[in-house]
Amino acid sequence: MKKNKQKPDRELVDRSFLARIEPYLYLLPFFLGIAVFTLYPVVNVVLMSFKEDYSYLTREFSQWGLANYDKVLSDPKFAQAVGNTLKYVLLVVPISTLISVIVANLLNQKLRFSALFQTAYFLPMVTSVTAVGLAWKLMYNKNFGIINYILSFFGIDKIPWLENAAWSIPSLVIFGVWNILPFTIILLLSGLQNIDPQYYTAARVDGSGSLRIFLRITVPLLAPTIFLVCIVNTISCFKVFSELYPLFNGKPGPFYNLYTVVYYIRFAMMENRKYGVAAAAAIVLFGFIFVFTMIQRVVQSWMSARKR
Amino acid sequence: MRVVLDHVTKRFADVTAVSEFSATLEDGELVSLLGPSGCGKSTLLNMLSGILPVSGGRIYFDDQDVTGMPPEKRGIGLVFQNYALYPHMTVMGNICFPLETQRVPKAERIERANEIARLVHVDMLMNRKPSELSGGQQQRVAIARALVKNPRLLLLDEPLSNLDARLRLEMREEIRRIQQRTGVTTIFVTHDQEEALSISDRIVLMKAGVLQQNDLPQSLYNEPANQFVADFLGNPPINNLPGTVEDGAFVAADGKARCALPMLAGVENGRNVNLSVRSESFVLDENGPMACEVTRVYQMGKEEMAYLTFGGTDFRAYIDSEEGLRKGDAVRLSLKRRGVFLFDRETGERIR
């Protein structure tokens, strides 16, 4: 009698143990991928940044210490890279946000051919940055590029987009903005579609024109999304590299004047073989991005608290 | 302001939402647009506000033709079903917003907003956001926002449907009070007959985009123009006894039960009719013309609700509880003059 009673109990326990580990089994393959390709490198980079005179091949290093950070932070090239990156962020983020707020509003209207416009605007999203970068390089070409060709109709002389240090920033920024627009527009469009159209009707009945509706109703209601877009774009702009690489034949600008932080990391690693320095620079970049992410979290929780 | 609707029609792709609608609403009246869901009453309201263009017909405000006029020029205040208060503005900001677009100076805006807020009793909530208000308070703010610009016409689209039962009672009294204080001509859309009957000066009853009756509340109840009106108003619903007319008598559906009624004099023989009787219009009467059987009795305090059957058709009647009816009793009833109607069964038209 007792045995009979106990047996199903144990089965129950066994089954529940299996049931308990079953979800982890399903998660395991993905977790292994993450562990090998993300977690291990992350830990390794952190460690590497503290290893002085680290050799990647022999895995030898002289001692633990902050020498790599000291090198990075006192390197004028790194300061230049941070300056360029900040300049890029401060230009691309506001410009792309402004353009995409306007474009998203236009796409949100019931326009004719709106499907065509949507496809056109979202096209950059499905293309490879590097491939498109090569196309832009051709368009920017001083003598044969389509941009200078079109500008010539307005009597504008040939602009050395990629050959001149002063022009290289605008050309990078224009390409960067174009590249970032689709994702930004998608986010803003979904934000716009969450706004109850009754607010627009109510405002129109009250005699508000389109501009007033846009400024007093649309923008305030879209503010949380606009803020999210700014932060997401800031983070991605901090990591600017793949926009830069194809435009200038793999060089950071025509006269090595457009070093960005990621370019600095790559350069330290690939050209100078200073893995510790590269790792330290990566950690510093992580610090920048981390600060912005925190700002985003704080402001967003403050915004949603204010809404309630 | 007097509102005249002259053969107003609205067609969408393949449906006619409002068809040849003509009515006149007098200055200062509170008019209910009543009808079942989908009858076109909100469409009509949106055409009055100018949000929807008409497909045909004309709309006049006093002597002014406003048919093609955009909403902001019509001088209307609109209260939406879910209030549509701007969530990012305070109550003050919401009420001031219509004045802002009219370029009213700020000091005057605030003064007028405070004044109207006192009228609708939200003056102590001016710094709150809409999400910090109860449903009833949001409703009041929405009304204040609609009234602050002194509209010629106040339009309310199912304003009470988002409130719970108790608040609904309270708010409908409030709407009546505010309307009477301001004297603004008001159109109130509702599907709730009780709401319409209790607060309106006049009820416009619609069905499937067609005007059924435009009348005083009591006339709508006491003198319905057709079967639909009689069915739509009244709780419990009116009793419809189908039958035919034979020599001034009503013959029930089973062909046996019959009763002679003076109102049937002059109705041609063999006409298919509904004898429609409100539950309160039956009287127990030993010499009454209707021989019925009691099937069920419910106590309802002072009165009893009796379920009876006449010629195979069940109906409900209020009976004085002192009579002590029981299930199975055979009784005779006579009909009062009020609340008894005869409708053509095919067309629904009233036979007088």
mmCIF file of all heavy atoms in Angstrom, chain A residues 196 198-209 212-213 216-218 220-221 306-308, chain B residues 51 71-72 76 78 80 82 84-89 97-98 100-101 129 131-132 145 149:
data_model
loop_
_atom_site.group_PDB
_atom_site.id
_atom_site.type_symbol
_atom_site.label_atom_id
_atom_site.label_comp_id
_atom_site.label_asym_id
_atom_site.label_seq_id
_atom_site.Cartn_x
_atom_site.Cartn_y
_atom_site.Cartn_z
ATOM 1 N N ASP A 196 -4.417 59.672 -30.406
ATOM 2 C CA ASP A 196 -5.830 59.577 -30.762
ATOM 3 C C ASP A 196 -6.202 60.709 -31.727
ATOM 4 O O ASP A 196 -6.032 61.885 -31.395
ATOM 5 C CB ASP A 196 -6.652 59.701 -29.468
ATOM 6 C CG ASP A 196 -8.125 59.419 -29.702
ATOM 7 O OD1 ASP A 196 -8.571 59.529 -30.858
ATOM 8 O OD2 ASP A 196 -8.815 59.092 -28.729
ATOM 9 N N GLN A 198 -8.806 62.000 -32.349
ATOM 10 C CA GLN A 198 -9.829 62.910 -31.813
ATOM 11 C C GLN A 198 -9.224 64.213 -31.309
ATOM 12 O O GLN A 198 -9.874 65.248 -31.342
ATOM 13 C CB GLN A 198 -10.578 62.227 -30.673
ATOM 14 C CG GLN A 198 -11.634 61.278 -31.184
ATOM 15 C CD GLN A 198 -12.889 61.339 -30.380
ATOM 16 O OE1 GLN A 198 -12.867 61.392 -29.166
ATOM 17 N NE2 GLN A 198 -14.009 61.348 -31.046
ATOM 18 N N TYR A 199 -7.961 64.146 -30.837
ATOM 19 C CA TYR A 199 -7.318 65.391 -30.377
ATOM 20 C C TYR A 199 -7.205 66.374 -31.530
ATOM 21 O O TYR A 199 -7.402 67.577 -31.348
ATOM 22 C CB TYR A 199 -5.927 65.104 -29.809
ATOM 23 C CG TYR A 199 -5.928 64.198 -28.610
ATOM 24 C CD1 TYR A 199 -5.044 63.135 -28.529
ATOM 25 C CD2 TYR A 199 -6.807 64.410 -27.559
ATOM 26 C CE1 TYR A 199 -5.037 62.293 -27.425
ATOM 27 C CE2 TYR A 199 -6.811 63.580 -26.461
ATOM 28 C CZ TYR A 199 -5.925 62.516 -26.398
ATOM 29 O OH TYR A 199 -5.926 61.692 -25.310
ATOM 30 N N TYR A 200 -6.887 65.835 -32.715
ATOM 31 C CA TYR A 200 -6.757 66.714 -33.877
ATOM 32 C C TYR A 200 -8.122 67.302 -34.239
ATOM 33 O O TYR A 200 -8.241 68.485 -34.525
ATOM 34 C CB TYR A 200 -6.193 65.947 -35.079
ATOM 35 C CG TYR A 200 -4.842 65.321 -34.830
ATOM 36 C CD1 TYR A 200 -4.600 64.000 -35.148
ATOM 37 C CD2 TYR A 200 -3.811 66.068 -34.273
ATOM 38 C CE1 TYR A 200 -3.371 63.427 -34.923
ATOM 39 C CE2 TYR A 200 -2.578 65.508 -34.039
ATOM 40 C CZ TYR A 200 -2.354 64.178 -34.360
ATOM 41 O OH TYR A 200 -1.137 63.611 -34.129
ATOM 42 N N THR A 201 -9.143 66.424 -34.220
ATOM 43 C CA THR A 201 -10.485 66.903 -34.536
ATOM 44 C C THR A 201 -10.900 67.987 -33.549
ATOM 45 O O THR A 201 -11.401 69.046 -33.939
ATOM 46 C CB THR A 201 -11.500 65.739 -34.472
ATOM 47 O OG1 THR A 201 -10.959 64.636 -35.184
ATOM 48 C CG2 THR A 201 -12.822 66.141 -35.074
ATOM 49 N N ALA A 202 -10.664 67.705 -32.254
ATOM 50 C CA ALA A 202 -11.050 68.672 -31.229
ATOM 51 C C ALA A 202 -10.345 70.001 -31.461
ATOM 52 O O ALA A 202 -10.962 71.068 -31.409
ATOM 53 C CB ALA A 202 -10.697 68.128 -29.846
ATOM 54 N N ALA A 203 -9.046 69.933 -31.762
ATOM 55 C CA ALA A 203 -8.287 71.171 -31.961
ATOM 56 C C ALA A 203 -8.767 71.897 -33.213
ATOM 57 O O ALA A 203 -8.827 73.128 -33.241
ATOM 58 C CB ALA A 203 -6.797 70.854 -32.063
ATOM 59 N N ARG A 204 -9.121 71.136 -34.245
ATOM 60 C CA ARG A 204 -9.571 71.782 -35.475
ATOM 61 C C ARG A 204 -10.917 72.473 -35.260
ATOM 62 O O ARG A 204 -11.126 73.585 -35.713
ATOM 63 C CB ARG A 204 -9.650 70.767 -36.619
ATOM 64 C CG ARG A 204 -9.735 71.441 -37.962
ATOM 65 C CD ARG A 204 -9.308 70.535 -39.107
ATOM 66 N NE ARG A 204 -8.030 69.891 -38.862
ATOM 67 C CZ ARG A 204 -7.860 68.573 -38.835
ATOM 68 N NH1 ARG A 204 -8.899 67.783 -39.030
ATOM 69 N NH2 ARG A 204 -6.690 68.059 -38.610
ATOM 70 N N VAL A 205 -11.820 71.793 -34.535
ATOM 71 C CA VAL A 205 -13.111 72.413 -34.243
ATOM 72 C C VAL A 205 -12.913 73.698 -33.451
ATOM 73 O O VAL A 205 -13.638 74.675 -33.622
ATOM 74 C CB VAL A 205 -14.016 71.422 -33.468
ATOM 75 C CG1 VAL A 205 -15.257 72.111 -32.940
ATOM 76 C CG2 VAL A 205 -14.411 70.265 -34.357
ATOM 77 N N ASP A 206 -11.877 73.703 -32.611
ATOM 78 C CA ASP A 206 -11.583 74.911 -31.834
ATOM 79 C C ASP A 206 -10.866 75.968 -32.656
ATOM 80 O O ASP A 206 -10.474 76.996 -32.116
ATOM 81 C CB ASP A 206 -10.730 74.552 -30.608
ATOM 82 C CG ASP A 206 -11.555 73.841 -29.554
ATOM 83 O OD1 ASP A 206 -12.789 73.960 -29.618
ATOM 84 O OD2 ASP A 206 -10.986 73.174 -28.685
ATOM 85 N N GLY A 207 -10.676 75.699 -33.930
ATOM 86 C CA GLY A 207 -10.147 76.730 -34.809
ATOM 87 C C GLY A 207 -8.641 76.742 -34.960
ATOM 88 O O GLY A 207 -8.082 77.721 -35.434
ATOM 89 N N SER A 208 -7.957 75.652 -34.554
ATOM 90 C CA SER A 208 -6.504 75.640 -34.687
ATOM 91 C C SER A 208 -6.099 75.274 -36.107
ATOM 92 O O SER A 208 -6.658 74.359 -36.689
ATOM 93 C CB SER A 208 -5.891 74.615 -33.735
ATOM 94 O OG SER A 208 -6.428 74.779 -32.463
ATOM 95 N N GLY A 209 -5.097 75.996 -36.616
ATOM 96 C CA GLY A 209 -4.552 75.663 -37.924
ATOM 97 C C GLY A 209 -3.576 74.510 -37.801
ATOM 98 O O GLY A 209 -3.252 74.075 -36.700
ATOM 99 N N ARG A 212 -0.431 75.176 -35.609
ATOM 100 C CA ARG A 212 -0.701 75.198 -34.173
ATOM 101 C C ARG A 212 -0.974 73.783 -33.667
ATOM 102 O O ARG A 212 -0.498 73.394 -32.601
ATOM 103 C CB ARG A 212 -1.891 76.096 -33.859
ATOM 104 C CG ARG A 212 -2.179 76.187 -32.370
ATOM 105 C CD ARG A 212 -3.444 76.947 -32.099
ATOM 106 N NE ARG A 212 -3.334 78.320 -32.524
ATOM 107 C CZ ARG A 212 -2.814 79.292 -31.775
ATOM 108 N NH1 ARG A 212 -2.378 79.016 -30.571
ATOM 109 N NH2 ARG A 212 -2.735 80.506 -32.221
ATOM 110 N N ILE A 213 -1.735 73.004 -34.442
ATOM 111 C CA ILE A 213 -2.002 71.622 -34.038
ATOM 112 C C ILE A 213 -0.693 70.861 -33.914
ATOM 113 O O ILE A 213 -0.453 70.142 -32.951
ATOM 114 C CB ILE A 213 -2.951 70.933 -35.043
ATOM 115 C CG1 ILE A 213 -4.343 71.557 -34.949
ATOM 116 C CG2 ILE A 213 -3.027 69.436 -34.788
ATOM 117 C CD1 ILE A 213 -5.328 71.019 -35.944
ATOM 118 N N ARG A 216 1.284 72.444 -30.796
ATOM 119 C CA ARG A 216 0.669 72.371 -29.467
ATOM 120 C C ARG A 216 0.121 70.989 -29.123
ATOM 121 O O ARG A 216 -0.068 70.665 -27.960
ATOM 122 C CB ARG A 216 -0.471 73.397 -29.346
ATOM 123 C CG ARG A 216 -0.024 74.851 -29.356
ATOM 124 C CD ARG A 216 0.850 75.200 -28.148
ATOM 125 N NE ARG A 216 0.330 74.717 -26.884
ATOM 126 C CZ ARG A 216 -0.537 75.374 -26.149
ATOM 127 N NH1 ARG A 216 -0.997 76.532 -26.529
ATOM 128 N NH2 ARG A 216 -0.955 74.872 -25.010
ATOM 129 N N ILE A 217 -0.191 70.195 -30.145
ATOM 130 C CA ILE A 217 -0.770 68.880 -29.876
ATOM 131 C C ILE A 217 0.216 67.770 -30.259
ATOM 132 O O ILE A 217 0.587 66.949 -29.423
ATOM 133 C CB ILE A 217 -2.091 68.668 -30.656
ATOM 134 C CG1 ILE A 217 -3.033 69.853 -30.480
ATOM 135 C CG2 ILE A 217 -2.756 67.357 -30.269
ATOM 136 C CD1 ILE A 217 -3.683 69.979 -29.149
ATOM 137 N N THR A 218 0.640 67.750 -31.517
ATOM 138 C CA THR A 218 1.438 66.625 -31.989
ATOM 139 C C THR A 218 2.770 66.533 -31.254
ATOM 140 O O THR A 218 3.102 65.482 -30.698
ATOM 141 C CB THR A 218 1.697 66.758 -33.498
ATOM 142 O OG1 THR A 218 0.470 67.068 -34.144
ATOM 143 C CG2 THR A 218 2.251 65.475 -34.061
ATOM 144 N N PRO A 220 4.019 67.863 -28.376
ATOM 145 C CA PRO A 220 4.013 67.471 -26.953
ATOM 146 C C PRO A 220 3.622 66.011 -26.738
ATOM 147 O O PRO A 220 4.199 65.331 -25.899
ATOM 148 C CB PRO A 220 2.968 68.396 -26.325
ATOM 149 C CG PRO A 220 2.751 69.485 -27.273
ATOM 150 C CD PRO A 220 3.145 69.017 -28.631
ATOM 151 N N LEU A 221 2.652 65.529 -27.524
ATOM 152 C CA LEU A 221 2.223 64.149 -27.336
ATOM 153 C C LEU A 221 3.265 63.167 -27.861
ATOM 154 O O LEU A 221 3.310 62.017 -27.453
ATOM 155 C CB LEU A 221 0.870 63.908 -28.026
ATOM 156 C CG LEU A 221 -0.323 64.584 -27.358
ATOM 157 C CD1 LEU A 221 -1.598 64.323 -28.135
ATOM 158 C CD2 LEU A 221 -0.483 64.080 -25.929
ATOM 159 N N ARG A 306 5.201 61.864 -14.854
ATOM 160 C CA ARG A 306 4.508 63.139 -14.996
ATOM 161 C C ARG A 306 3.174 62.954 -15.720
ATOM 162 O O ARG A 306 2.216 63.662 -15.484
ATOM 163 C CB ARG A 306 5.389 64.098 -15.785
ATOM 164 C CG ARG A 306 5.156 65.559 -15.448
ATOM 165 C CD ARG A 306 6.079 66.413 -16.253
ATOM 166 N NE ARG A 306 5.978 66.067 -17.662
ATOM 167 C CZ ARG A 306 6.046 66.963 -18.639
ATOM 168 N NH1 ARG A 306 6.182 68.223 -18.351
ATOM 169 N NH2 ARG A 306 5.974 66.608 -19.891
ATOM 170 N N LYS A 307 3.174 61.990 -16.630
ATOM 171 C CA LYS A 307 1.963 61.754 -17.423
ATOM 172 C C LYS A 307 0.821 61.275 -16.529
ATOM 173 O O LYS A 307 -0.319 61.608 -16.738
ATOM 174 C CB LYS A 307 2.261 60.691 -18.484
ATOM 175 C CG LYS A 307 1.804 61.086 -19.880
ATOM 176 C CD LYS A 307 2.158 59.968 -20.843
ATOM 177 C CE LYS A 307 1.550 60.179 -22.191
ATOM 178 N NZ LYS A 307 1.881 59.055 -23.075
ATOM 179 N N ARG A 308 1.179 60.456 -15.537
ATOM 180 C CA ARG A 308 0.149 59.870 -14.698
ATOM 181 C C ARG A 308 -0.455 60.796 -13.694
ATOM 182 O O ARG A 308 -0.179 61.883 -13.442
ATOM 183 C CB ARG A 308 0.722 58.658 -13.982
ATOM 184 C CG ARG A 308 0.252 57.376 -14.659
ATOM 185 C CD ARG A 308 0.929 56.160 -14.060
ATOM 186 N NE ARG A 308 1.565 55.399 -15.118
ATOM 187 C CZ ARG A 308 2.831 54.996 -15.064
ATOM 188 N NH1 ARG A 308 3.585 55.300 -14.025
ATOM 189 N NH2 ARG A 308 3.358 54.291 -16.041
ATOM 190 N N ILE B 51 -17.462 68.539 -39.324
ATOM 191 C CA ILE B 51 -16.357 67.584 -39.447
ATOM 192 C C ILE B 51 -16.567 66.715 -40.679
ATOM 193 O O ILE B 51 -15.624 66.375 -41.377
ATOM 194 C CB ILE B 51 -16.267 66.710 -38.181
ATOM 195 C CG1 ILE B 51 -15.855 67.569 -36.990
ATOM 196 C CG2 ILE B 51 -15.268 65.581 -38.368
ATOM 197 C CD1 ILE B 51 -15.941 66.855 -35.665
ATOM 198 N N PRO B 71 -15.613 73.644 -39.755
ATOM 199 C CA PRO B 71 -16.060 73.583 -38.362
ATOM 200 C C PRO B 71 -15.692 74.822 -37.544
ATOM 201 O O PRO B 71 -16.518 75.317 -36.768
ATOM 202 C CB PRO B 71 -15.323 72.364 -37.797
ATOM 203 C CG PRO B 71 -14.792 71.611 -38.945
ATOM 204 C CD PRO B 71 -14.824 72.471 -40.153
ATOM 205 N N GLU B 72 -14.460 75.329 -37.722
ATOM 206 C CA GLU B 72 -14.008 76.409 -36.844
ATOM 207 C C GLU B 72 -14.766 77.704 -37.083
ATOM 208 O O GLU B 72 -14.808 78.574 -36.225
ATOM 209 C CB GLU B 72 -12.496 76.624 -37.001
ATOM 210 C CG GLU B 72 -12.036 77.099 -38.371
ATOM 211 C CD GLU B 72 -11.731 75.957 -39.332
ATOM 212 O OE1 GLU B 72 -12.163 74.825 -39.052
ATOM 213 O OE2 GLU B 72 -11.072 76.210 -40.357
ATOM 214 N N ILE B 76 -19.333 76.477 -33.018
ATOM 215 C CA ILE B 76 -19.933 75.374 -32.279
ATOM 216 C C ILE B 76 -18.980 74.922 -31.182
ATOM 217 O O ILE B 76 -17.773 75.094 -31.281
ATOM 218 C CB ILE B 76 -20.204 74.164 -33.197
ATOM 219 C CG1 ILE B 76 -18.953 73.874 -34.038
ATOM 220 C CG2 ILE B 76 -21.410 74.388 -34.063
ATOM 221 C CD1 ILE B 76 -18.851 72.473 -34.454
ATOM 222 N N LEU B 78 -18.024 71.406 -29.178
ATOM 223 C CA LEU B 78 -18.238 69.973 -29.386
ATOM 224 C C LEU B 78 -17.671 69.205 -28.198
ATOM 225 O O LEU B 78 -16.533 69.424 -27.799
ATOM 226 C CB LEU B 78 -17.540 69.563 -30.690
ATOM 227 C CG LEU B 78 -17.693 68.141 -31.192
ATOM 228 C CD1 LEU B 78 -19.162 67.775 -31.360
ATOM 229 C CD2 LEU B 78 -16.979 67.979 -32.527
ATOM 230 N N PHE B 80 -16.794 65.419 -27.056
ATOM 231 C CA PHE B 80 -16.631 64.092 -27.632
ATOM 232 C C PHE B 80 -17.043 63.021 -26.648
ATOM 233 O O PHE B 80 -17.044 63.228 -25.443
ATOM 234 C CB PHE B 80 -15.175 63.867 -28.029
ATOM 235 C CG PHE B 80 -14.730 64.737 -29.160
ATOM 236 C CD1 PHE B 80 -14.274 66.017 -28.930
ATOM 237 C CD2 PHE B 80 -14.779 64.277 -30.464
ATOM 238 C CE1 PHE B 80 -13.869 66.826 -29.974
ATOM 239 C CE2 PHE B 80 -14.376 65.074 -31.502
ATOM 240 C CZ PHE B 80 -13.926 66.357 -31.263
ATOM 241 N N ASN B 82 -15.451 60.366 -25.728
ATOM 242 C CA ASN B 82 -14.416 60.088 -24.723
ATOM 243 C C ASN B 82 -13.670 61.368 -24.335
ATOM 244 O O ASN B 82 -12.516 61.329 -23.981
ATOM 245 C CB ASN B 82 -13.464 59.006 -25.198
ATOM 246 C CG ASN B 82 -12.965 59.273 -26.595
ATOM 247 O OD1 ASN B 82 -13.247 60.338 -27.163
ATOM 248 N ND2 ASN B 82 -12.217 58.375 -27.155
ATOM 249 N N ALA B 84 -11.785 63.585 -25.248
ATOM 250 C CA ALA B 84 -10.652 64.089 -26.031
ATOM 251 C C ALA B 84 -9.996 65.294 -25.364
ATOM 252 O O ALA B 84 -9.635 66.264 -26.015
ATOM 253 C CB ALA B 84 -11.085 64.441 -27.460
ATOM 254 N N LEU B 85 -9.817 65.228 -24.051
ATOM 255 C CA LEU B 85 -9.065 66.287 -23.367
ATOM 256 C C LEU B 85 -7.591 66.097 -23.687
ATOM 257 O O LEU B 85 -7.104 64.971 -23.705
ATOM 258 C CB LEU B 85 -9.279 66.208 -21.854
ATOM 259 C CG LEU B 85 -10.702 66.461 -21.372
ATOM 260 C CD1 LEU B 85 -10.791 66.244 -19.867
ATOM 261 C CD2 LEU B 85 -11.146 67.872 -21.715
ATOM 262 N N TYR B 86 -6.884 67.201 -23.938
ATOM 263 C CA TYR B 86 -5.465 67.086 -24.277
ATOM 264 C C TYR B 86 -4.707 66.607 -23.052
ATOM 265 O O TYR B 86 -4.665 67.298 -22.029
ATOM 266 C CB TYR B 86 -4.924 68.429 -24.751
ATOM 267 C CG TYR B 86 -5.785 69.060 -25.833
ATOM 268 C CD1 TYR B 86 -6.304 70.328 -25.686
ATOM 269 C CD2 TYR B 86 -6.086 68.351 -26.993
ATOM 270 C CE1 TYR B 86 -7.103 70.897 -26.674
ATOM 271 C CE2 TYR B 86 -6.870 68.910 -27.979
ATOM 272 C CZ TYR B 86 -7.383 70.177 -27.818
ATOM 273 O OH TYR B 86 -8.166 70.725 -28.783
ATOM 274 N N PRO B 87 -4.082 65.420 -23.122
ATOM 275 C CA PRO B 87 -3.514 64.823 -21.910
ATOM 276 C C PRO B 87 -2.302 65.577 -21.356
ATOM 277 O O PRO B 87 -1.988 65.458 -20.190
ATOM 278 C CB PRO B 87 -3.107 63.418 -22.361
ATOM 279 C CG PRO B 87 -3.018 63.479 -23.836
ATOM 280 C CD PRO B 87 -3.949 64.557 -24.288
ATOM 281 N N HIS B 88 -1.636 66.365 -22.222
ATOM 282 C CA HIS B 88 -0.414 67.031 -21.760
ATOM 283 C C HIS B 88 -0.700 68.410 -21.190
ATOM 284 O O HIS B 88 0.204 69.103 -20.759
ATOM 285 C CB HIS B 88 0.576 67.138 -22.913
ATOM 286 C CG HIS B 88 0.007 67.835 -24.119
ATOM 287 N ND1 HIS B 88 -0.983 67.270 -24.888
ATOM 288 C CD2 HIS B 88 0.275 69.025 -24.675
ATOM 289 C CE1 HIS B 88 -1.289 68.090 -25.869
ATOM 290 N NE2 HIS B 88 -0.551 69.170 -25.769
ATOM 291 N N MET B 89 -1.974 68.838 -21.217
ATOM 292 C CA MET B 89 -2.294 70.164 -20.694
ATOM 293 C C MET B 89 -3.096 70.019 -19.400
ATOM 294 O O MET B 89 -3.818 69.049 -19.206
ATOM 295 C CB MET B 89 -3.149 70.939 -21.696
ATOM 296 C CG MET B 89 -2.468 71.226 -23.009
ATOM 297 S SD MET B 89 -3.577 72.206 -24.038
ATOM 298 C CE MET B 89 -2.812 71.961 -25.634
ATOM 299 N N PHE B 97 -7.503 76.565 -24.341
ATOM 300 C CA PHE B 97 -7.005 76.299 -25.694
ATOM 301 C C PHE B 97 -7.860 76.892 -26.815
ATOM 302 O O PHE B 97 -7.327 77.537 -27.720
ATOM 303 C CB PHE B 97 -6.820 74.791 -25.896
ATOM 304 C CG PHE B 97 -6.095 74.450 -27.155
ATOM 305 C CD1 PHE B 97 -4.718 74.594 -27.242
ATOM 306 C CD2 PHE B 97 -6.776 74.001 -28.275
ATOM 307 C CE1 PHE B 97 -4.035 74.299 -28.404
ATOM 308 C CE2 PHE B 97 -6.105 73.704 -29.445
ATOM 309 C CZ PHE B 97 -4.732 73.854 -29.509
ATOM 310 N N PRO B 98 -9.196 76.740 -26.774
ATOM 311 C CA PRO B 98 -9.997 77.331 -27.865
ATOM 312 C C PRO B 98 -9.862 78.852 -27.931
ATOM 313 O O PRO B 98 -9.936 79.429 -29.021
ATOM 314 C CB PRO B 98 -11.433 76.932 -27.510
ATOM 315 C CG PRO B 98 -11.314 75.817 -26.561
ATOM 316 C CD PRO B 98 -10.024 75.993 -25.826
ATOM 317 N N GLU B 100 -7.169 80.517 -27.074
ATOM 318 C CA GLU B 100 -5.841 80.791 -27.595
ATOM 319 C C GLU B 100 -5.893 80.958 -29.115
ATOM 320 O O GLU B 100 -5.293 81.879 -29.658
ATOM 321 C CB GLU B 100 -4.968 79.594 -27.265
ATOM 322 C CG GLU B 100 -3.600 79.907 -26.738
ATOM 323 C CD GLU B 100 -2.947 78.607 -26.321
ATOM 324 O OE1 GLU B 100 -3.242 78.102 -25.216
ATOM 325 O OE2 GLU B 100 -2.166 78.083 -27.115
ATOM 326 N N THR B 101 -6.612 80.048 -29.773
ATOM 327 C CA THR B 101 -6.670 80.122 -31.233
ATOM 328 C C THR B 101 -7.482 81.328 -31.685
ATOM 329 O O THR B 101 -7.313 81.800 -32.796
ATOM 330 C CB THR B 101 -7.299 78.852 -31.822
ATOM 331 O OG1 THR B 101 -8.542 78.632 -31.183
ATOM 332 C CG2 THR B 101 -6.411 77.662 -31.600
ATOM 333 N N LYS B 129 -3.992 67.464 -14.285
ATOM 334 C CA LYS B 129 -3.966 66.912 -15.643
ATOM 335 C C LYS B 129 -5.217 66.036 -15.818
ATOM 336 O O LYS B 129 -5.737 65.509 -14.834
ATOM 337 C CB LYS B 129 -2.710 66.041 -15.825
ATOM 338 C CG LYS B 129 -1.418 66.823 -15.888
ATOM 339 C CD LYS B 129 -1.179 67.343 -17.307
ATOM 340 C CE LYS B 129 0.054 68.209 -17.419
ATOM 341 N NZ LYS B 129 1.288 67.454 -17.214
ATOM 342 N N SER B 131 -5.596 63.064 -16.638
ATOM 343 C CA SER B 131 -5.472 61.714 -16.085
ATOM 344 C C SER B 131 -5.665 61.699 -14.575
ATOM 345 O O SER B 131 -5.830 60.643 -13.981
ATOM 346 C CB SER B 131 -4.109 61.146 -16.437
ATOM 347 O OG SER B 131 -3.095 62.053 -16.058
ATOM 348 N N GLU B 132 -5.629 62.881 -13.941
ATOM 349 C CA GLU B 132 -5.835 62.940 -12.494
ATOM 350 C C GLU B 132 -7.289 63.236 -12.135
ATOM 351 O O GLU B 132 -7.586 63.544 -10.994
ATOM 352 C CB GLU B 132 -4.936 64.027 -11.884
ATOM 353 C CG GLU B 132 -3.459 63.749 -12.076
ATOM 354 C CD GLU B 132 -2.593 64.978 -11.830
ATOM 355 O OE1 GLU B 132 -3.097 66.107 -11.942
ATOM 356 O OE2 GLU B 132 -1.419 64.800 -11.549
ATOM 357 N N ARG B 145 -14.649 73.316 -21.853
ATOM 358 C CA ARG B 145 -13.831 73.651 -23.016
ATOM 359 C C ARG B 145 -14.718 73.978 -24.219
ATOM 360 O O ARG B 145 -14.397 74.849 -25.026
ATOM 361 C CB ARG B 145 -12.892 72.486 -23.353
ATOM 362 C CG ARG B 145 -11.930 72.810 -24.477
ATOM 363 C CD ARG B 145 -10.970 71.684 -24.752
ATOM 364 N NE ARG B 145 -11.646 70.514 -25.281
ATOM 365 C CZ ARG B 145 -11.032 69.393 -25.624
ATOM 366 N NH1 ARG B 145 -9.732 69.292 -25.472
ATOM 367 N NH2 ARG B 145 -11.708 68.368 -26.101
ATOM 368 N N LYS B 149 -15.832 79.336 -25.460
ATOM 369 C CA LYS B 149 -15.781 80.290 -26.576
ATOM 370 C C LYS B 149 -17.174 80.809 -26.930
ATOM 371 O O LYS B 149 -17.366 81.337 -28.025
ATOM 372 C CB LYS B 149 -15.105 79.637 -27.770
ATOM 373 C CG LYS B 149 -15.687 78.291 -28.104
ATOM 374 C CD LYS B 149 -14.909 77.589 -29.208
ATOM 375 C CE LYS B 149 -15.456 76.190 -29.392
ATOM 376 N NZ LYS B 149 -14.919 75.469 -30.507
#
